[in-house]
């Protein structure tokens, strides 16, 4: 069977990703969601000329800058944040003002408290400064109607604060992708059970649930299927609505590997069945209309690698609409770190990236095989190995995970 190169396989996956629909959610539920319409300011920001300092708003229009050195103003009252002074200042008059409070009509600058001395109903000021000093002008941040967060932005804490300041309390965002996870294998028992005989614990279900959560995807259904085609078909035909179906294990060519037959029986078209990748060769990708399915190779390391290289970019595209291969960065190899044995397939190996002296240092994980279910501990990167081997003296490319 033809081994599809990794970039071509990823292209095939992303090309079939539909754009998910939208929903409105409260700000408190919008973290990490993708905004689907521009959010605009409904008011000027700041909405009025505001003081940038605690001090005095003054009308110093009868003096030019620096002349004279000390000036005394008549104190009329106070403007506090949330409680404006409503009168108008004539030349030689001032009001007490606090940071964020509206600058009263007639005031042409603010003099900060440190440059003033209160003398009963008057205030003596040194260092008046130029006209306009310490006044944040109405609309200087944003005008009403300006875009504060663009469509397509992923909403992090700064974006949520910007939406709040613009009064956008129910942003329109991409709905979360829905995934179903089916784990296969007669040998599997749940983690709380002690395996007997030929049994092993199911670790892939915990891995997939955590990876989906990290990707902002809802796991709407999870089931364990025995290696029995008829039973699998019955169960899969009655699944809740979903965008992505993930089948763990049974992706290879053994007599009990039924991921491909079951997908075909359910009306899925298979787009690729083996890729030029170690670990992760027997990755199956299929679609039925807008519903996409992967059968991920059962070996736990292959599981993690294929999820990072194919499922994660698909989930990103579903929410953002953007075709993005996992980003690549440069780092250096840890001195005398282990290297995997050579292989004819393109090897993309799990690694741990540590930040040392301002640059990432990569240690390739030592794995007895792709069946090592606890060998991934610490993995946060993938390192593609060049066909001619790694040169430990030169920077290497890696994919942060
Ligand atoms: N004749 C061939 N045999 C195999 C080939 C091949 O090309 N020709 N490819 C090998 C490669 S590479 C891989 S990877 C595996 C993938 O096989 P499957 O996807 O069919 O996976 P299983 O056979 O179901 O399981 C493989 C391995 O992983 C363990 N496993 C499965 N599920 C879980 C789980 N939920 N939690 C923990 N461990 C799990 C399972 O017990 C097996 O040891 O095929 C090779 N064979
Ligand atoms: O390619 Mo398999 O994924 O080596 O174990």
């Amino acid at each position: 069977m033809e081994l599809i190169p990794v970039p071509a396989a990823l292209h095939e996956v992303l090309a079939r990703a539909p754009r998910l629909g939208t929903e409105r959610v409260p700000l408190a539920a919008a973290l990490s969601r993708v905004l689907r319409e521009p959010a605009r300011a409904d008011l000027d920001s700041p909405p009025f000329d505001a003081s940038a300092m605690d001090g005095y708003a003054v009308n110093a229009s009868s003096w030019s800058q620096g002349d004279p050195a000390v000036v005394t103003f008549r104190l009329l009252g106070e403007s506090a944040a949330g409680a404006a002074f409503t009168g108008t200042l004539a030349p030689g008059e001032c009001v007490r003002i606090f940071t964020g409070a509206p600058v009263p009509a007639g005031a042409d600058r603010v003099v900060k408290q440190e440059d003033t001395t209160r003398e009963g109903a008057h205030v003596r000021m040194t260092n008046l400064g130029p006209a306009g000093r310490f006044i944040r002008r109405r609309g200087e941040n944003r005008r009403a109607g300006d875009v504060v967060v663009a469509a397509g932005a992923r909403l992090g804490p700064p974006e949520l604060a910007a939406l709040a300041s613009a009064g956008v309390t129910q942003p329109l965002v991409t709905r979360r992708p829905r995934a179903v996870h089916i784990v296969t294998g007669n040998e599997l028992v749940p983690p709380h059970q002690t395996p007997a005989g030929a049994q092993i614990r199911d670790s892939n279900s915990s891995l997939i649930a955590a990876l989906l959560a990290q990707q902002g995807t809802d796991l709407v259904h999870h089931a364990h299927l025995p290696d029995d085609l008829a039973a699998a078909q019955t169960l899969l035909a009655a699944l809740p609505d979903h965008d992505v179906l993930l089948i763990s294990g049974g992706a290879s060519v053994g007599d009990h590997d039924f991921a491909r037959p079951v997908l075909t029986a359910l009306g899925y078209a298979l787009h690729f069945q083996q890729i030029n990748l170690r670990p992760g060769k027997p990755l199956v990708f299929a679609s039925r209309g807008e519903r996409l399915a992967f059968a991920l190779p059962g070996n736990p390391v292959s599981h993690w690698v294929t999820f990072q290289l194919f499922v994660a970019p698909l989930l990103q595209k579903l929410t953002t609409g953007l075709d993005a291969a996992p980003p690549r960065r440069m780092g250096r190899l840890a001195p005398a770190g282990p290297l995997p044995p050579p292989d004819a397939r393109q090897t993309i190996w799990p690694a741990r990236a540590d930040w040392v002296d301002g640059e990432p240092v990569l240690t390739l994980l030592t794995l007895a095989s792709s069946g090592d279910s606890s060998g991934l501990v610490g993995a946060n990167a993938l390192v593609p190995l060049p066909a001619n081997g790694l040169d430990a003296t030169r920077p290497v490319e890696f994919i942060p995970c």
Side-chain angles (χ1 to χ4, degrees), residues 277-282 297 299 301-303 306 345 369-371:
L277 175 65
R278 172 184 70 155
K281 179 180 77 170
N299 280 317
V301 178
S302 317
H303 233 64
T306 51
R345 282 176 287 167
S369 77
S370 58

Side-chain angles (χ1 to χ4, degrees), residues 141-167:
N141 302 328
R142 220 78 52 207
R143 287 281 175 201
D146 283 355
V147 172
V148 291
V149 186
R154 198 174 279 284
L155 300 177
E159 290 73 26
L160 293 178
L163 294 184
S165 74

Side-chain angles (χ1 to χ4, degrees), residues 282-308:
L283 176 71
V284 177
F285 174 62
S287 68
R288 192 181 72 191
E290 293 203 331
R291 200 169 268 184
L292 306 175
F294 287 97
L296 304 169
N299 280 317
V301 178
S302 317
H303 233 64
W304 187 74
V305 172
T306 51
F307 189 100
Q308 299 292 355

